[in-house]
Amino acid sequence: MRQIETDIAVIGAGPAGLSAAYQAAAAGAKVTLIDENKRPGGQLFKQIHKFFGSREHHAGVRGYLIGEELLTQVKESGADVMLDSLVYGLLPDKSVGVIHEGLNYSVKAKKIIIASGAKENYMAFPGSTLPGVMGAGAAQTMINVNRVLPGKRILMVGSGNVGLIVSYQLMQAGAEVVALVEGAPKIGGYGVHAGKLRRAGVPIYVSHTIKQVYGKEEVEGVQIAALDEHWNMIEGTEQDFDVDTVCLAVGLNPMTELAWMVGCKFDYIPAFGGHVPLHDRNMETTVKGVYVAGDITGVEEASSAMEEGNMAGVAAAESLGYLSHEEAAVKKEQIQNRLNVLRSGVFGERRKSSKEKQLADMESYQKGEMTR
């Protein structure tokens, strides 16, 4: 087994991991950034749409351009980047087990930042295992990264921002989105995204779900049905669509396996996608020296992930003496202010209250009032 020693190991080179690596390396720490993909950037390189928000949060800039900017910053900071590298284990002594280019490595770090992101939820129904049923994120990767059209006639399930945005991008790539289906009685994402679909003629069926997908060797069609107020299918409301692809945009849940493995304490917060590791305002978990950032702390937007990465990177660098407490305090206040802006307004309040609960539970744990 080959050995690598570093100050800070950052696991995951998405928006949060890149931001964390940049902040820590720019402060002077030796940083090793590890990612299983052949290209860093995570979700950013799928995102060809322009970001919302303020200038500080790259308003009006397309996601992949933000990714390129972050990559440039990380390279200039001097951080070491290990791509195509699978992290298979994390021990309390901060040893990270990695398989890189077919070889086994042990990365020994003084501090760990886990920025592993989130994975797509799945939905089971008759025919759900047929080729042609896939996650919306997988479809987005195919069209925006690999330049491959997943199908010609597509039905999208889920009206959150992912479902709405990916539907429009599929249309831009040349597919026909025959309908969008949403189980809830109203659309879950931003009205501006839904409006683009409606103007393009895509019907949106709220309070509907998939009853079955049919086909011999692959998807050949789909049947949907209306739902009552108890989420039960209403007989006689079935509609059939001739499609070759069904995309599922039914939520994400944090990829927390490494945090469980290293012994972090967790809390269950439905608004954040399920079980999430407790952490304090520095993004440090209940395992001292292990930090988290991005969707592992609760599924939010890429802008929030980047700011949490900034916070974790600054805090880890400060803990090792690369930033004075005064320098770190100024940076943390700026980062926290930007996070507060992101979590304000109608769409941010639930996230803000959930994050406050998470922090309050962490404080209770630190006081010995919480044992889970």
Side-chain angles (χ1 to χ4, degrees), residues 226-280:
L227 298 170
D228 63 21
E229 64 272 19
H230 301 295
W231 294 73
N232 296 313
M233 292 187 197
I234 303 172
E235 292 296 328
T237 63
E238 293 85 358
Q239 297 183 63
D240 292 291
F241 294 90
D242 177 19
V243 301
D244 57 22
T245 306
V246 173
C247 291
L248 305 176
V250 290
L252 304 167
N253 60 80
M255 293 184 66
T256 56
E257 292 84 354
L258 292 173
W260 285 108
M261 189 179 294
V262 79
C264 297
K265 301 297 182 182
F266 277 73
D267 201 356
Y268 182 75
I269 304 178
F272 278 163
H275 286 93
V276 289
L278 289 173
H279 64 80
D280 61 17

Side-chain angles (χ1 to χ4, degrees), residues 20-236:
Y22 166 69
Q23 290 289 349
K30 182 179 180 181
V31 176
T32 302
L33 176 62
I34 310 166
D35 194 274
E36 65 179 346
N37 297 298
K38 296 182 184 297
R39 183 183 186 188
Q43 301 300 313
L44 288 173
F45 285 98
K46 298 181 183 182
Q47 298 174 345
I48 62 174
H49 57 280
K50 294 180 179 180
F51 274 37
F52 292 151
S54 64
R55 181 178 299 177
E56 288 179 324
H57 297 116
H58 308 282
V61 181
R62 300 188 187 278
Y64 72 91
L65 294 175
I66 299 172
E68 290 176 356
E69 180 183 333
L70 275 174
L71 287 181
T72 299
Q73 290 178 340
V74 169
K75 289 176 182 176
E76 292 176 349
S77 72
D80 295 324
V81 181
M82 292 179 66
L83 298 178
D84 199 16
S85 302
L86 176 66
V87 174
Y88 63 85
L90 176 58
L91 298 175
D93 68 352
K94 314 297 187 301
S95 294
V96 184
V98 182
I99 295 176
H100 175 67
E101 296 181 347
L103 299 175
N104 201 357
Y105 286 78
S106 175
V107 179
K108 187 69 172 68
K110 298 174 184 176
K111 306 290 178 181
I112 301 288
I113 299 175
I114 307 175
S116 49
K119 56 183 178 292
E120 293 187 280
N121 292 331
Y122 195 69
M123 182 176 173
F125 44 81
S128 62
T129 59
L130 280 172
V133 179
M134 66 182 69
Q140 191 180 34
T141 299
M142 291 177 72
I143 56 174
N144 292 345
V145 178
N146 300 318
R147 300 295 190 264
V148 175
L149 197 63
K152 295 181 179 179
R153 290 177 56 82
I154 297 172
L155 181 131
M156 178 68 69
V157 182
S159 71
N161 284 329
V162 171
L164 297 173
I165 290 171
V166 174
S167 291
Y168 193 73
Q169 291 176 357
L170 283 163
M171 295 170 65
Q172 290 178 306
E176 178 185 357
V177 178
V178 300
L180 186 145
V181 176
E182 168 59 55
K186 61 180 181 180
I187 293 168
Y190 294 154
V192 64
H193 297 314
K196 289 195 294 185
L197 289 183
R198 292 298 295 120
R199 287 193 296 274
V202 178
I204 298 176
Y205 295 88
V206 296
S207 294
H208 279 73
T209 191
I210 288 184
K211 186 170 185 177
Q212 64 176 323
V213 168
Y214 47 88
K216 293 182 179 179
E217 301 295 331
E218 59 188 15
V219 173
E220 297 176 9
V222 60
Q223 185 177 77
I224 69 170
L227 298 170
D228 63 21
E229 64 272 19
H230 301 295
W231 294 73
N232 296 313
M233 292 187 197
I234 303 172
E235 292 296 328

Side-chain angles (χ1 to χ4, degrees), residues 332-367:
K332 289 178 186 177
E333 183 179 9
Q334 293 171 344
I335 295 166
Q336 190 60 56
N337 288 340
R338 295 195 297 268
L339 272 171
N340 290 340
V341 170
L342 287 170
R343 291 170 180 155
S344 63
V346 175
F347 290 100
E349 284 304 318
R350 188 173 69 157
R351 293 289 189 267
K352 184 177 180 181
S353 61
S354 297
K355 183 59 65 173
E356 289 171 348
K357 177 185 183 304
Q358 196 177 26
L359 293 170
D361 285 349
M362 178 64 175
E363 292 171 356
S364 296
Y365 172 80
Q366 290 172 330
K367 294 176 183 177

